[in-house]
Amino acid sequence: MRSRKPYGSATNVAKILTQRAYWDGEHVLRSRLKAAPQFVDTIELEAELRGHSGCVNCLQWSDNGHILATASDDFHVMLWDPFRHKQLHDLMTPHEGNIFSVKFLPKRSSSLIVTGAGDCKTFVFDINRQNDQPIRDCSCHAQRVKRLATSPRNVHVYWSAAEDGLVLQHDLRQPHNCSGQEANVLIDLRNYACGMAELKCIAINPQRPEQLAIGANDIYARLYDRRMISLMKVNQAMDNANNARSDMTDNIPKDGCVKYFCPGHLGSKYQTGNHLSELQQYKAVTYLAFSPDGTELLANVGSDQIYLYDINRPREPLLLELPKMSSAADGSPNGSDCGEGKFPTEKTKHKFPPDVEQLKKEGNASLEKNLFLQAINKYTQAIQRVNGKDCAILYLNRATALMKRNWYSDVYAAVRDCHTALQLDPHYVKAHFRLARALLKLEHTKEAQLCLDELVRRFPSYAKNPGVLKLDKDIGLELDKQRHRLACSRQDSATELIKDKEKYWRKTSMDYEHRYIGHCNTKTDIKEANYFGDSNFIVAGSDDGNFFIWERHSGIIRSIYSADELIVNCVQPHPYICMLATSGIDHEVRLWSPQPTPEKRLERRLDSVDTIVSENQSHMQLDPFEPIAPDQAICRAS
C-alpha cells in the first residue's frame, strides 16, 4: 500500500518547497528579530505624539499594529498612525471621568473601540460612523471602571473590571439596558473577600480564552476558568454582597475553577487565622499580562515588585524543606578547615570554568563593597553559565547578598536560594545556617528554630559553634516577642469578612517563578508591566519617570530610559516590530524604536542604574504603609 503524499500531487523537491507554508517559521523569526539584543540596545526616542490635554492613562495597538489608540483624562480617545506620527482621529467621548482603559474589538478592521472610565461607564464606538456617538453604553458598575479585556477568539464579547468588585461580561450580540435584570456578572469578588474588594486589572489568555485573570486591592492574582462560571444578574450580585448568610447563591465552584498566585512569603499558607500584616494590606495588583504563548502570567504588584508566574507548572511556596541525608553523613562535619565560629563551603570543591570563576570573583568583590545589585547580577550570570549545576556556593553567595540588601521580597528570594544550594549539596552546613537566619529575618521563627535544630542534629560538632549559639538565642528572643504580641493583639474585624472559600483559595496559592526589581510602583494603581519581543524581555514604567527593560530569564536590568517628567504608567510594545509606546503624567505619548545612530550617544538611556534602582527601592520602603493613590491625583493637581 502506497503512503499518502503530504503535499498533494507534488512529486519533486521544487514543487514541495513551493507548496510548503512558511508562515509559522516567518512568524517565529519576526518575533525574535523584533526584540533581538542588537535592536533592544539601540532603542531611543523616535517621536512624541501631541494632542491630549491631560494625563494619558492607557494605550492600545490595533491587531495589525497600524493604529495606536490613546485615551486620557481629557475624555478624548485619539487614533494615531505610528509610522507617520500623524493623528488619524480625535474622538470626544461622553465620559465624565478619567478614561482608564481603551480596547479595540479584535478582527473588526480596528473600527470598534471600547472605553472604560472613572464615571463607572463603558462605551462602544464605531469610528467608521459619521458621528462619534456610542453604539452601546453600560452603566451597570457602581464604581470606577479600571480595565477592559478582549479576546482575539471572541470578537463579540468584552469584559470590564471595576472598583465595585465586579467583572461584567458584555456581549454585543445581545441588547442591553442596564436594568439589573440581565445576567452579565461573571465575578463578584465581594462574595469572597470583603465589602471593600476593588478590582484593578483584568486579562484574557490569548491562547486559552477560557482563562481570565484579575488583580485587586490585595496581593493575589486570581485565575478563573470561565467555562465553569454561570453569569449572575447585577441585582442578584448586589443582594449576595449585602447578605452574610452562607447559603447565598454562589456561581464559582470551589475546586478547579480558580487558582491563586502570590509571592510565597506574602501568601496565606503560612499565615494564622484571617490576620494580614500591615504590609500586605497596602499592596495591590495594578496590572496583569499573559505571555504570548499563554503559559505565564505577569503581575505588577503595587508597593512591591513585578512577579512572573508559571500557570501550567506552578511552583509551591517554600519556607522549610530540608533534603534528606544518608545516615552515614549525619553528624559528620563537611570540611576539615572548619574552626570554631566558621562554617565550611561545599562538601566538594568544584572547579568552575575561567569565565564563571571570574564572575564569582567579581561578585565577591562587589559584595565586600556593599554593591549588592552588582554582586547579585554577577552571581546570577555565573549560575546561568553553569546551568545551575554544581554551584551551591554561587546560590549561597547570592543569598547572602540578597539578605544584606533586604529590599522587598529579597529575604524570601534568599530562602529559595538556600534551598537550591542544599538540593545541590545536602552536606552544606553553611546553607543550613543561612537558611535558619533568613527564616528568622522573614519572621517565620518556628521554621527558623526547626531548621537550626536540624542543623545541630545532623552536624553535632557545631552545637557549640558561636554562630549557632547566637542564632539560637536570637530565635528564642523573637519567639518570646511573638508570644507577647499574640497575647496583646486583637484580630482585625475587617478580615473576618473573608469567606471560607476565599481562605481555602488563598492557602492554596502558588509561588512566583521570576521577579523583576528596580522600578517604583506606589503613586498610581494603573502601572503596567508587559512582555516585549519574543518574551525575552519584560518592560514596565516607574514613579521616577523612567521605563525599565529586564532580561526575562535572569531578571537583570537591560536598560533604563527617561520617558516622562513625573511618572510612566503605560509601556505597550508593538505587536510585530521593535517599537514601544509609553505614557504617563505628561500629556504626550512617546514612541521608541532602534535608531541608526551608533556614533551618537543614546540621549534618553540612563547609565546610573545602581543609583536609580537604589533610590526607587528606598522610596518604596520609606513609607510602605501609604496606600496606593486611587487615581492620579498628582496629575489633576498639576
Side-chain angles (χ1 to χ4, degrees):
M1 184 175 180
R2 293 183 179 180
S3 60
R4 294 184 60 185
K5 294 183 175 64
Y7 297 100
S9 60
T11 58
N12 60 58
V13 174
K15 286 186 177 181
I16 290 175
L17 289 176
T18 56
Q19 294 182 16
R20 180 180 175 182
Y22 279 94
W23 183 87
D24 286 340
E26 181 181 350
H27 176 74
V28 171
L29 180 61
R30 286 189 176 184
S31 295
R32 291 179 179 176
L33 285 178
K34 71 180 178 181
Q38 56 268 39
F39 291 160
V40 172
D41 291 341
T42 58
I43 284 177
E44 184 53 56
L45 180 64
E46 175 184 319
E48 292 184 344
L49 307 180
R50 300 177 182 271
H52 285 292
S53 59
C55 307
V56 182
N57 303 320
C58 45
L59 310 170
Q60 180 68 28
W61 295 98
S62 61
D63 286 347
N64 58 18
H66 293 170
I67 301 175
L68 175 66
T70 64
S72 168
D73 289 354
D74 60 13
F75 314 143
H76 286 253
V77 173
M78 295 185 180
L79 304 182
W80 308 84
D81 182 334
F83 306 110
R84 293 185 296 166
H85 312 149
K86 179 182 178 181
Q87 186 185 108
L88 302 175
H89 190 69
D90 183 356
L91 171 64
M92 177 60 184
T93 72
H95 282 299
E96 298 175 340
N98 300 348
I99 302 177
F100 290 117
S101 191
V102 61
K103 290 286 184 181
F104 287 100
L105 264 295
K107 299 180 181 179
R108 292 292 192 95
S109 301
S110 302
S111 64
L112 290 191
I113 292 177
V114 188
T115 59
D119 58 4
C120 315
K121 299 177 181 178
T122 67
F123 292 117
V124 180
F125 301 91
D126 187 344
I127 59 175
N128 288 335
R129 299 182 60 162
Q130 293 297 323
N131 61 62
D132 287 339
Q133 294 303 308
I135 62 174
R136 183 186 180 98
D137 63 88
C138 177
S139 57
C140 290
H141 283 293
Q143 298 291 334
R144 300 182 309 169
V145 178
K146 296 311 294 282
R147 290 286 178 179
L148 304 169
T150 59
S151 170
R153 303 188 184 186
N154 196 330
V155 300
H156 304 288
V157 178
Y158 70 93
W159 295 264
S160 58
E163 291 180 336
D164 56 6
L166 299 182
V167 173
L168 300 185
Q169 180 168 299
H170 309 262
D171 193 331
L172 299 181
R173 295 166 295 187
Q174 300 176 355
H176 178 71
N177 57 17
C178 296
S179 64
Q181 297 303 313
E182 178 185 346
N184 64 346
V185 177
L186 184 68
I187 299 169
D188 183 356
L189 201 60
R190 301 168 302 177
N191 286 352
Y192 311 102
C194 62
M196 299 301 293
E198 299 177 357
L199 294 182
K200 302 296 183 181
C201 53
I202 183 172
I204 295 286
N205 191 327
Q207 303 301 326
R208 298 183 58 187
E210 73 275 9
Q211 290 186 338
L212 177 146
I214 60 173
N217 57 332
D218 59 23
I219 54 180
Y220 298 94
R222 298 160 168 87
L223 180 64
Y224 294 85
D225 188 334
R226 295 190 297 111
R227 298 170 300 182
M228 303 177 68
I229 305 176
S230 57
L231 296 173
M232 295 190 301
K233 298 178 181 179
V234 172
N235 290 347
Q236 180 183 357
M238 294 297 293
D239 291 341
N240 287 347
N242 297 325
N243 192 344
R245 296 181 306 167
S246 60
D247 60 346
M248 66 183 181
T249 303
D250 191 349
N251 65 330
I252 299 181
K254 181 176 181 179
D255 296 318
C257 179
V258 57
K259 297 179 181 178
Y260 275 43
F261 297 88
C262 174
H265 61 295
L266 295 177
S268 295
K269 184 173 182 178
Y270 301 101
Q271 301 291 335
T272 57
N274 295 330
H275 180 68
L276 298 177
S277 69
E278 284 186 317
L279 188 61
Q280 288 174 263
Q281 294 179 39
Y282 292 105
K283 294 183 186 294
V285 178
T286 64
Y287 196 77
L288 291 169
F290 285 96
S291 60
D293 65 2
T295 64
E296 298 172 350
L297 184 63
L298 193 66
N300 197 344
V301 180
S303 297
D304 208 292
Q305 320 296 354
I306 298 170
Y307 298 95
L308 184 152
Y309 301 102
D310 188 329
I311 60 179
N312 290 340
R313 294 175 298 178
R315 179 195 289 258
E316 288 274 357
L318 182 62
L319 285 178
L320 181 59
E321 188 175 304
L322 296 176
K324 294 181 179 180
M325 296 176 61
S326 62
S327 57
D330 289 355
S332 60
N334 55 331
S336 58
D337 58 340
C338 306
E340 196 74 12
K342 296 181 180 180
F343 293 93
T345 53
E346 294 174 286
K347 179 183 178 182
T348 305
K349 183 67 175 178
H350 295 286
K351 181 68 174 178
F352 293 124
D355 58 336
V356 176
E357 194 65 42
Q358 180 62 29
L359 287 169
K360 176 190 170 187
K361 182 178 179 181
E362 293 173 0
N364 293 346
S366 296
L367 183 57
E368 290 178 2
K369 298 176 183 178
N370 293 332
L371 300 174
F372 303 126
L373 179 62
Q374 294 181 19
I376 292 167
N377 287 346
K378 294 298 182 182
Y379 294 138
T380 300
Q381 291 171 350
I383 290 169
Q384 288 185 312
R385 296 282 179 90
V386 295
N387 295 321
K389 298 178 181 178
D390 298 332
C391 59
I393 191 172
L394 297 177
Y395 280 101
L396 195 65
N397 287 359
R398 190 170 68 176
T400 303
L402 287 165
M403 288 180 64
K404 289 186 176 181
R405 187 174 68 175
N406 197 26
W407 292 344
Y408 285 150
S409 72
D410 271 357
V411 179
Y412 179 65
V415 167
R416 298 198 342 175
D417 274 355
C418 288
H419 278 101
T420 303
L422 287 169
Q423 290 170 5
L424 294 170
D425 184 358
H427 303 81
Y428 203 168
V429 179
K430 194 172 183 178
H432 286 81
F433 179 81
R434 185 134 313 140
L435 176 58
R437 174 64 72 182
L439 289 169
L440 175 61
K441 197 167 186 177
L442 204 60
E443 297 184 1
H444 285 277
T445 316
K446 293 181 179 179
E447 289 84 358
Q449 186 69 68
L450 289 173
C451 183
L452 190 63
D453 291 345
E454 185 63 16
L455 184 157
V456 173
R457 189 191 71 80
R458 294 182 174 190
F459 309 103
S461 62
Y462 293 98
K464 301 300 182 181
N465 182 282
V468 171
L469 292 174
K470 184 178 186 306
L471 180 55
D472 185 61
K473 181 179 179 181
D474 292 342
I475 292 174
L477 291 173
E478 185 59 32
L479 283 172
D480 290 340
K481 291 179 183 178
Q482 287 185 359
R483 296 187 191 100
H484 178 73
R485 286 196 297 265
L486 186 62
C488 299
S489 64
R490 293 182 179 179
Q491 204 170 55
D492 187 350
S493 59
T495 60
E496 294 176 359
L497 296 174
I498 297 175
K499 307 300 190 297
D500 289 339
K501 270 190 179 181
E502 180 78 1
K503 295 179 194 173
Y504 168 75
W505 289 329
R506 291 186 178 192
K507 288 182 179 179
T508 60
S509 61
M510 305 305 289
D511 201 4
Y512 68 88
E513 191 69 26
H514 302 291
R515 65 182 188 135
Y516 307 94
I517 288 181
H519 78 314
C520 184
N521 180 8
T522 61
K523 295 185 181 298
T524 63
D525 60 357
I526 58 173
K527 204 164 276 89
E528 300 177 349
N530 278 298
Y531 289 84
F532 181 34
D534 191 26
S535 299
N536 288 324
F537 298 96
I538 302 297
V539 292
S542 176
D543 289 343
D544 58 2
N546 301 322
F547 77 88
F548 289 66
I549 302 178
W550 292 268
E551 296 175 1
R552 171 176 160 267
H553 294 288
S554 68
I556 294 175
I557 295 173
R558 186 84 180 196
S559 51
I560 304 175
Y561 290 89
S562 174
D564 194 285
E565 289 296 322
L566 293 172
I567 297 173
V568 177
N569 286 317
C570 306
V571 184
Q572 286 288 332
H574 190 279
Y576 298 116
I577 64 174
C578 189
M579 176 182 282
L580 295 163
T582 65
S583 69
I585 302 302
D586 289 351
H587 300 171
E588 295 80 18
V589 176
R590 294 181 171 90
L591 298 177
W592 307 78
S593 65
Q595 298 300 305
T597 55
E599 71 283 353
K600 181 181 178 182
R601 181 182 180 276
L602 300 178
E603 296 179 354
R604 292 271 184 157
R605 184 167 178 170
L606 305 176
D607 297 327
S608 53
V609 174
D610 285 24
T611 301
I612 293 170
V613 171
S614 297
E615 289 179 353
N616 280 340
Q617 296 300 307
S618 296
H619 178 75
M620 282 205 295
Q621 293 184 316
L622 283 176
D623 191 6
F625 305 131
E626 179 181 352
I628 294 177
D631 55 24
Q632 299 183 59
I634 188 173
C635 180
R636 297 199 306 270
S638 61

